Amino acid sequence: MKTIKYLKLPIVLVALALSAILFTCSNAEDVEEVILEIPEPEEPEVPVAINEQDIDASKIATINTGSVTGQFHNFWSTRPMINQNRFNSSSFTNSIEPIKDYVESYNLVRTMGGRTDNLNMFYQGVDASGTIIADFSELVTTMRNFVNTGFKPRIVLSKVPWEMVEEKIINAFGNTSPPDNYDHWRQYVNAFLTTLVNEFGMQEVSTWRFRISTEPNFSPNHWNGTMQDYFRHYDITVDEVLKVIPDAIVGPGNMLTEGVATFTTELIDHCANGVNFATGATGTKMDFFSISYYEKIDQNTVALPEKIAPYRNKLNSYPQFSNIPLDIQEFGILRDENRRRGLSLTDATELGASWYATVADMVHDFTINEIYDWGQEIESSNLPQGRKNVMRMFQMMEDGNRLEAIDNFSGYAGVIPVVKGDVIYALVYNHNPSRTSTANRTIYPKFQGGLISSGSTWKMNEWTVDKNHGIMMHELYEDLRAAGVSEISDGRIYGNRPSDRFADGWRDVLTANLSKYEDLAKLPKTVTDSLVAKGNESLILKVDLEPHSVKLIELIPE
């Protein structure tokens, strides 16, 4: 007997073959019996659930999809700006068009004069009667050009103009002394704000934030006075702001969190129950509070908890301040592993990316409202740093409900789970403060309850940022060295400004290879529509992570 098997043939071909065989057999003298074996259609591959009993419990992060702990909110959309006059240049305003999908506001500092570059010289002294003389025409032009971009302004009311102090001491950031005559300062604040209200309307300006000074506990670089001098300056300035804008959103300068800070949480105590220098009443209006947080790679740590916890705890101790926004209004990685600074304020590699994910986890822990960002692009380009690709992950999670996650991980690793509708996102990260770390890690997110209870199979997508995904800086450095561009041996390494490390010529290499860098810098999707299965009332994933790595996992019910 002859057996004929047809494997994976379309039905039409099988039918044609059958007809031909029957025709041939019907005309043959010796007909041999023919048996056709037509296979059953192939079943789709069934995903196999991971057995929890086979996993080290210390590597599991348990996520209850039915337990919401808060919202994953946008904390990354404000950028500081030292010189708002740049908005008078069309080339500059055109250059920032690409960032509008993630930047909403600019925090404009040193707007009132007292600068070392002689910008914002609106104040021109007083006349014989003690009335101030000021010309705000340039302010109006600048702010009109700024508002026309569509960004929201936030104004830092500083610095005190040079003409308001008799003893002109030039510190690192200009004049940091309080005014000699607070009546003149009051007039100037009033005139400055009245100009803005007249130009843009009370309703609009009332929605802007007004911060009074920058790092007032950094003496003498940002404040050339005592702690009590600043309390007085803050109270008087707030009092004058409220005379012009009764519903103004006001707060003090961001507090330096380095060891050289001259005072810390005493400012919160003063605003809560101190004697107001302007009104004599108890306390001072404070609608937000902020700190500076700069990491240093050479210290091999993530220092945010120790820097912010005292301020969070102090704010929580006063009912009137426990729910006001707590921001990080200066932020970045200040030094590389060799203690070099440069102009870069971040690390542009996978190390900066995994550090950013670590900080994002702490945003929830310390109820941080916003983190002001100096910029997430590479110098002289729109190329994203690794950290910007992590921000793209955040955007996918934005406004989702953050879920409870429990783990016993050591070091800086974790899972940030979010649910949006019936889709689950999990940002999984592994960060090591040392660039040379080889500490790979495997994490097992375990999803249970809520959404997981109602389905058995899920479709998974994954995006990855690590040394080999979403990072272009290593390739740029190799190309610059191969091209013979002079390297500055004591320059900062792997910052977002190649000019910190390389001499003239680096831009030519970047431009010549731009398309390659654009491809390398894209956020890559590393898994597409993979099926994963639930086990006994839970769904467990295995996530392998490089020493500096961030992965975003998307789970869609099938």
Side-chain angles (χ1 to χ4, degrees):
M1 180 181 293
K2 182 184 293 182
T3 301
I4 301 175
K5 295 183 179 180
Y6 296 91
L7 298 178
K8 299 183 180 179
L9 286 175
I11 293 175
V12 173
L13 293 180
V14 173
L16 289 173
L18 178 61
S19 298
I21 292 170
L22 291 175
F23 177 80
T24 302
C25 291
S26 66
N27 289 280
E29 292 183 0
D30 298 320
V31 178
E32 183 177 1
E33 184 179 359
V34 177
I35 298 176
L36 297 177
E37 292 186 0
I38 301 175
E40 295 293 328
E42 288 189 355
E43 294 291 333
E45 183 179 349
V46 177
V48 178
I50 294 176
N51 186 350
E52 185 174 353
Q53 304 304 315
D54 298 332
I55 306 170
D56 181 345
S58 67
K59 297 180 179 180
I60 297 175
T62 302
I63 297 129
N64 183 351
T65 64
S67 178
V68 174
T69 61
Q71 187 183 61
F72 189 85
H73 66 279
N74 182 329
F75 58 82
W76 55 83
S77 62
T78 297
R79 179 174 284 190
M81 169 66 72
I82 292 173
N83 176 16
Q84 78 275 11
N85 293 277
R86 298 177 72 187
F87 288 93
N88 294 333
S89 165
S90 59
S91 62
F92 174 73
T93 56
N94 290 335
S95 72
I96 60 176
E97 280 293 317
I99 70 171
K100 284 188 173 180
D101 73 313
Y102 80 94
V103 176
E104 298 174 1
S105 304
Y106 269 91
N107 196 50
L108 308 177
V109 305
R110 307 179 205 169
T111 58
M112 302 182 75
R115 301 169 62 111
T116 56
D117 55 13
N118 294 323
L119 293 175
N120 304 337
M121 303 283 281
F122 314 130
Y123 182 78
Q124 298 171 1
V126 296
D127 62 18
S129 66
T131 302
I132 69 162
I133 304 169
D135 180 359
F136 292 109
S137 55
E138 183 184 342
L139 173 67
V140 170
T141 298
T142 299
M143 291 306 300
R144 188 185 295 124
N145 289 335
F146 174 87
V147 170
N148 287 341
T149 64
F151 293 110
K152 194 81 167 178
R154 296 180 176 185
I155 308 294
V156 180
L157 298 175
S158 73
K159 298 198 170 303
V160 174
W162 292 108
E163 291 76 10
M164 285 192 182
V165 294
E166 182 176 355
E167 185 180 5
K168 295 175 174 57
I169 302 173
I170 301 176
N171 285 309
F173 302 104
N175 176 42
T176 62
S177 298
D180 293 340
N181 186 318
Y182 265 102
D183 176 61
H184 297 163
W185 173 250
R186 277 184 176 274
Q187 289 185 56
Y188 184 51
V189 171
N190 192 296
F192 183 95
L193 296 176
T194 299
T195 299
L196 295 177
V197 170
N198 290 342
E199 179 66 23
F200 301 103
M202 181 67 76
Q203 184 175 359
E204 171 63 22
V205 177
S206 293
T207 66
W208 301 358
R209 276 194 186 190
F210 295 94
R211 191 181 83 192
I212 298 165
S213 303
T214 294
E215 294 182 341
N217 60 342
F218 188 16
S219 180
N221 292 302
H222 273 304
W223 183 250
N224 191 22
T226 66
M227 178 180 72
Q228 291 296 321
D229 287 337
Y230 178 71
F231 293 173
R232 179 181 182 223
H233 183 76
Y234 179 70
D235 292 352
I236 291 172
T237 307
V238 169
D239 186 57
E240 199 62 38
V241 169
L242 297 177
K243 288 179 180 177
V244 182
I245 310 169
D247 296 325
I249 305 169
V250 295
N254 49 313
M255 300 294 283
L256 181 76
T257 54
E258 305 299 323
V260 296
T262 54
F263 59 95
T264 57
T265 59
E266 294 91 338
L267 176 57
I268 300 172
D269 293 325
H270 171 75
C271 290
N273 53 31
V275 176
N276 189 299
F277 282 89
T279 66
T282 299
T284 311
K285 181 177 172 67
M286 185 171 69
D287 296 312
F288 60 86
F289 192 85
S290 62
I291 67 167
S292 297
Y293 163 50
Y294 287 109
E295 198 59 78
K296 302 176 183 67
I297 299 176
D298 58 281
Q299 293 182 348
N300 290 321
T301 187
V302 177
L304 180 58
E306 66 188 61
K307 291 180 181 294
I308 200 168
Y311 293 100
R312 168 44 69 202
N313 294 337
K314 180 64 73 170
L315 288 168
N316 288 348
S317 72
Y318 294 107
Q320 67 269 44
F321 294 144
S322 61
N323 292 318
I324 66 171
L326 171 59
D327 299 337
I328 302 174
Q329 294 190 359
E330 286 192 46
F331 172 78
I333 296 180
L334 198 63
R335 296 197 310 237
D336 69 8
E337 54 266 50
N338 302 313
R339 297 179 60 85
R340 303 300 182 188
R341 287 186 56 168
L343 293 176
S344 296
L345 288 174
T346 189
D347 182 273
T349 72
E350 65 279 3
L351 185 149
S354 58
W355 169 75
Y356 196 34
T358 305
V359 170
D361 211 354
M362 296 175 183
V363 164
H364 181 77
D365 296 338
F366 294 100
T367 322
I368 298 168
N369 188 61
E370 288 190 76
I371 298 177
Y372 292 10
D373 202 301
W374 288 105
Q376 300 196 11
E377 291 76 34
I378 304 297
E379 181 181 14
S380 296
S381 74
N382 288 317
L383 291 167
Q385 303 174 38
R387 189 162 57 86
K388 184 171 183 177
N389 282 331
V390 175
M391 184 274 296
R392 294 301 188 202
M393 296 176 175
F394 296 162
Q395 286 184 309
M396 286 188 258
M397 303 163 67
E398 183 178 353
D399 294 333
N401 290 322
R402 181 160 175 159
L403 303 173
E404 178 185 64
I406 300 173
D407 65 67
N408 290 311
F409 300 154
S410 60
Y412 304 108
V415 180
I416 306 175
V418 165
V419 62
K420 295 179 72 172
D422 59 355
V423 177
I424 299 170
Y425 290 95
L427 187 136
V428 189
Y429 64 91
N430 178 31
H431 175 66
N432 291 279
S434 170
R435 191 185 304 279
T436 58
S437 172
T438 59
N440 293 358
R441 188 188 291 252
T442 298
I443 287 176
Y444 293 87
K446 173 187 172 184
F447 302 90
Q448 60 186 23
L451 293 174
I452 296 299
S453 300
S454 60
S456 59
T457 306
W458 296 70
K459 184 169 64 178
M460 184 182 85
N461 296 303
E462 176 194 86
W463 294 263
T464 300
V465 177
D466 59 27
K467 185 176 183 178
N468 299 309
H469 299 91
I471 303 294
M472 49 72 60
M473 288 300 291
H474 302 295
E475 188 77 8
L476 173 62
Y477 271 45
E478 288 183 11
D479 291 345
L480 291 171
R481 288 163 178 160
V485 177
S486 178
E487 191 164 355
I488 305 166
S489 59
D490 62 348
R492 176 173 179 156
I493 193 166
Y494 292 125
N496 63 309
R497 291 174 172 266
S499 60
D500 279 345
R501 186 71 183 182
F502 292 92
D504 292 343
W506 70 266
R507 282 187 179 85
D508 295 334
V509 174
L510 185 142
T511 301
N513 297 281
L514 187 59
S515 61
K516 177 177 70 170
Y517 303 141
E518 287 173 340
D519 288 340
L520 289 171
K522 289 177 182 176
L523 174 61
K525 194 173 187 180
T526 44
V527 173
T528 301
D529 295 343
S530 174
L531 293 180
V532 293
K534 182 178 72 174
N536 294 326
E537 302 305 320
S538 66
L539 188 156
I540 302 175
L541 302 176
K542 180 184 179 184
V543 183
D544 294 319
L545 299 161
E546 292 293 314
H548 308 100
S549 180
V550 187
K551 291 180 181 284
L552 178 64
I553 294 168
E554 177 186 56
L555 294 174
I556 304 170
E558 283 283 280

